[in-house]
Amino acid sequence: MHIDARQLDNNTLIEGDICIIGAGAAGISMALSLENTALKVVLLEGGGMEYDDRVQELYNGKITGHPYYPMKASRLHYFGGSTGHWGGMCSTFDEIDFEKRDWVENSGWPITLKDISPFYPKAHEILDLGPFEWEAEYWLKQNAAYKLLPVEENKLWSKLWHFSPPTRFGTKYRDAVVNAKNIHLYTYANVVDIVATENVNSITQVTIKNYAGKEHTVKAKRYVLACCSIQTSRLLLASNKQAPRGLGNDNDLVGRYFMEHTELKTGELWLNHNDPLLFYKMDDKTKIRAELAISPEKQRELQVMNCSISLMPLALAKNAIPSVKIWSQEDPRKALDTFHKYSNLDKRNYIQKLFTKGFYQSYGLYTRSEQQPNPDSRIVLSEEKDELGVPRANLHWALSPMDKKTVFTINKLLGQQIGAARLGRVKIADFLLDNDPQLPDYTSGGWHHMGTTRMHEDPKKGVVDANCKIHGIDNLYVAGSSCFTTGGAVNPTLTCVAFSLRVADHLKKLG
Ligand SMILES: Cc1cc2nc3c(=O)[nH]c(=O)nc-3n(C[C@H](O)[C@H](O)[C@H](O)COP(=O)(O)OP(=O)(O)OC[C@H]3O[C@@H](n4cnc5c(N)ncnc54)[C@H](O)[C@@H]3O)c2cc1C
């Protein structure tokens, strides 16, 4: 069922068993996995079924710290959420990503990869990825032209990526959500306040508002925040009537440890001979490719974080502008247009065709790296309020010297491996060789918002427990990448969806 909350009588009371706040990748996956249960699911979406600039404006806020994409443009505020403009690149976390690594400050989850793995196959299906095959061996058999770069696996390994079409949740899952008997979707239902009991150990209701001037109340047994990292922490901080520092924030952790993946061009690979390196290029048919990832052994030995390198024909990479410089428009619709213009798709397609024919001897190296969890990298409330009266969220993105060390290390390792195999040479970018401990200003993020309600078994070190329940509050959960304790080196959506399926599974058991 779909109800536009603007059309309801003012002060309507909506009741259900589970109230999910946010209908993006996490919220929709979760709601649909609760379909055909005895639970009445109330799914609250702040926006409408289509883009609405007045609703999008609620996301506006200020950026301080390391340069980042405009707040208004880096997430989408309508049914389907940011899958309305995501790129569809997917890969899985590694075992080491969950471990407490002595050399990575603030690392260590209370769960392991084994707790998430059972949910990857369904998440894979939801995102329309191909066969559930993540080993290089499988794919090498599918195409005789695929071959591995002869590097030592215990140093650098070929990590698999799958490409989603990309699935737009707002179109693909709209009918399924609207027609599900036990899912009650409310659009234009922006949650502006979460109300707790006086002793703040339980949530009693949430307040929704829209620009039609309507205000309603939602009551449920359990509540799940699925608004993505920035809005989830904003809402917790702004819900401060019973808890002056915000909900779940007794230990000043909500909003902290905002993480991204650093992404930038870090060098060039010059081969002795032309080689199309097809296994490392996304193929339209197989929809997979490999990246060169640093092995867990080398992460331990060299005391760096997880990261990987992808290859782009140098003819393309040479003039590429960092994403953070081109994705600078406040309006997300214009941001996408500008991005496509500068990405020069015609030229890209032409060069990709040549690339397929094997004309390429030189490649740009692009490194994507895990970011060290940094408490100073955070979301804070602004003095300024949005149209619905909620303080805006400001982002201070802060990087650490460990981020640069990691990026340098994998590029050096690749250079050593390419040299030892007598394949060619690697030229490391100058900025990696200078004395500045920080990555340069043009280091981009991948639009991957993680952290801000991090998972830890100790309430003094994390906001949610191993079941994604907020410490100290018996019926408030978080679904999505804001729970990530560390960010791994892969794009987050596959794991974000797997996580929300895991929360749904837990709630089903509670009944
Ligand atoms: C340009 C771009 C490219 C990307 N490319 C990739 C990629 O290639 N691979 C990858 O893995 N990830 C990618 N991502 C990230 C991906 O989009 C997110 O990881 C994913 O959408 C997160 O899902 P989510 O449900 O947590 O958040 P969202 O999809 O952002 O959904 C949150 C939902 O909550 C709603 N909401 C927010 N506040 C409220 C409120 N107060 N009340 C009610 N509802 C509210 C929003 O309207 C929205 O529908 C990309 C993102 C962008 C912007």
Side-chain angles (χ1 to χ4, degrees):
M1 186 195 294
H2 169 217
I3 301 125
D4 184 330
R6 292 173 303 180
Q7 311 303 331
L8 294 171
D9 289 340
N10 202 20
N11 291 321
T12 296
L13 173 65
I14 300 161
E15 290 180 286
D17 295 305
I18 296 183
C19 169
I20 302 173
I21 303 165
I28 290 178
S29 305
M30 178 173 226
L32 287 175
S33 88
L34 294 168
E35 196 187 353
N36 297 325
T37 63
L39 298 166
K40 178 177 173 190
V41 177
V42 176
L43 178 58
L44 302 176
E45 170 50 50
M49 285 296 194
E50 305 295 337
Y51 182 88
D52 178 333
D53 201 54
R54 199 162 161 191
V55 179
Q56 191 67 36
E57 176 58 29
L58 303 173
Y59 274 5
N60 222 337
K62 292 199 169 56
I63 304 282
T64 54
H66 190 91
Y68 198 65
Y69 310 110
M71 292 289 272
K72 186 176 163 187
S74 72
R75 281 290 171 271
L76 287 176
H77 203 348
Y78 65 102
F79 183 71
S82 309
T83 65
H85 61 193
W86 79 309
M89 290 181 66
C90 294
S91 192
T92 51
F93 270 50
D94 300 330
E95 259 173 47
I96 191 169
D97 296 329
F98 293 85
E99 290 172 12
K100 167 99 192 113
R101 292 160 282 165
D102 294 338
W103 64 98
V104 183
E105 230 180 302
N106 303 308
S107 62
W109 301 53
I111 59 172
T112 68
L113 182 60
K114 285 201 182 82
D115 295 293
I116 298 301
S117 295
F119 301 94
Y120 269 143
K122 184 66 190 171
H124 190 105
E125 187 188 318
I126 290 172
L127 297 174
D128 300 309
L129 305 178
F132 189 76
E133 296 288 349
W134 288 93
E135 299 298 329
E137 287 70 32
Y138 171 89
W139 291 102
L140 292 168
K141 285 182 200 141
Q142 308 308 309
N143 184 341
Y146 282 169
K147 59 182 169 55
L148 291 176
L149 266 169
V151 290
E152 292 171 281
E153 277 242 341
N154 61 356
K155 297 194 170 98
L156 288 173
W157 63 293
S158 295
K159 184 168 171 66
L160 239 294
W161 284 72
H162 280 257
F163 290 79
S164 169
T167 305
R168 307 279 178 224
F169 278 59
T171 37
K172 166 123 199 223
Y173 295 114
R174 178 180 173 148
D175 289 349
V177 168
V178 170
N179 296 330
K181 285 202 179 69
N182 64 326
I183 303 176
H184 298 240
L185 165 69
Y186 291 81
T187 50
Y188 288 98
N190 238 290
V191 174
V192 294
D193 193 23
I194 305 172
V195 184
T197 50
E198 216 163 296
N199 59 2
V200 204
N201 64 1
S202 200
I203 301 305
T204 56
Q205 63 190 60
V206 301
T207 307
I208 59 177
K209 272 191 184 178
N210 51 50
Y211 61 63
K214 303 277 178 68
E215 181 171 324
H216 312 295
T217 299
V218 183
K219 290 185 183 236
K221 276 199 285 190
R222 297 189 177 85
Y223 302 81
V224 186
L225 279 160
C227 308
C228 212
S229 296
I230 296 178
Q231 300 307 320
T232 289
S233 52
R234 174 190 182 193
L235 207 42
L236 287 170
L237 291 170
S239 299
N240 56 8
K241 291 203 183 81
Q242 292 77 32
R245 299 174 85 177
L247 294 170
N249 197 30
D250 293 352
N251 295 301
D252 187 22
L253 290 168
V254 173
R256 291 191 184 270
Y257 299 96
F258 172 87
M259 294 174 290
E260 250 285 6
H261 293 120
T262 56
E263 296 190 350
L264 75 170
K265 189 178 153 214
T266 49
E268 295 174 5
L269 167 64
W270 287 84
L271 296 173
N272 294 334
H273 305 287
N274 280 338
D275 190 333
L277 299 178
L278 288 180
F279 194 48
Y280 299 86
K281 167 191 174 289
M282 203 275 273
D283 178 281
D284 283 345
K285 201 160 139 244
T286 53
K287 296 267 183 197
I288 58 109
R289 80 158 189 225
E291 291 190 3
L292 290 160
I294 188 164
S295 68
E297 295 91 321
K298 278 287 159 190
Q299 288 180 56
R300 285 197 182 92
E301 182 195 322
L302 302 172
Q303 308 229 309
V304 293
M305 300 179 292
N306 211 343
C307 53
S308 64
I309 291 180
S310 58
L311 309 173
M312 185 191 277
L314 197 57
L316 264 183
K318 227 174 200 155
N319 302 316
I321 303 168
S323 304
V324 71
K325 292 204 167 156
I326 36 180
W327 193 278
S328 56
Q329 300 262 12
E330 291 278 337
D331 183 327
R333 295 160 297 180
K334 289 189 191 140
L336 200 58
D337 290 348
T338 320
F339 191 67
H340 283 154
K341 187 174 141 215
Y342 282 101
S343 305
N344 205 341
L345 289 181
D346 286 348
K347 187 176 170 207
R348 180 179 292 248
N349 287 338
Y350 170 70
I351 289 176
Q352 291 286 18
K353 269 188 204 139
L354 295 180
F355 182 45
T356 316
K357 287 180 187 154
F359 281 106
Y360 281 84
Q361 194 177 353
S362 56
Y363 296 85
L365 303 175
Y366 281 83
T367 306
R368 180 188 318 92
S369 174
E370 177 178 8
Q371 179 190 343
Q372 177 168 354
N374 180 343
D376 298 331
S377 185
R378 65 187 295 205
I379 300 300
V380 288
L381 293 184
S382 157
E383 300 277 298
E384 195 190 316
K385 293 186 173 165
D386 69 16
E387 187 185 349
L388 301 179
V390 183
R392 292 191 182 280
N394 291 343
L395 166 65
H396 182 81
W397 184 29
L399 298 176
S400 315
M402 175 61 129
D403 301 318
K404 183 168 178 184
K405 179 184 173 191
T406 298
V407 174
F408 169 69
T409 303
I410 189 171
N411 283 274
K412 185 173 165 198
L413 204 53
L414 180 65
Q416 289 165 344
Q417 288 288 300
I418 294 293
R422 298 184 189 281
L423 289 175
R425 310 285 287 175
V426 163
K427 178 174 184 282
I428 293 181
D430 290 346
F431 75 85
L432 284 176
L433 302 168
D434 68 22
N435 292 327
D436 190 338
Q438 295 281 359
L439 285 166
D441 270 4
Y442 55 83
T443 303
S444 305
W447 299 277
H448 306 155
H449 301 175
M450 300 171 289
T452 73
T453 62
R454 71 196 318 252
M455 183 187 278
H456 205 285
E457 71 268 41
D458 179 353
K460 291 207 167 59
K461 294 186 177 162
V463 177
V464 301
D465 66 14
N467 289 318
C468 298
K469 188 184 78 60
I470 298 210
H471 284 296
I473 302 181
D474 64 9
N475 61 350
L476 183 56
Y477 290 78
V478 180
S481 49
S482 66
C483 298
F484 292 5
T485 313
T486 49
V490 296
N491 296 17
T493 308
L494 178 64
T495 306
C496 161
V497 170
F499 250 76
S500 54
L501 297 177
R502 183 172 173 270
V503 178
D505 199 53
H506 176 72
L507 295 182
K508 267 188 235 170
K509 286 179 190 146
L510 293 179

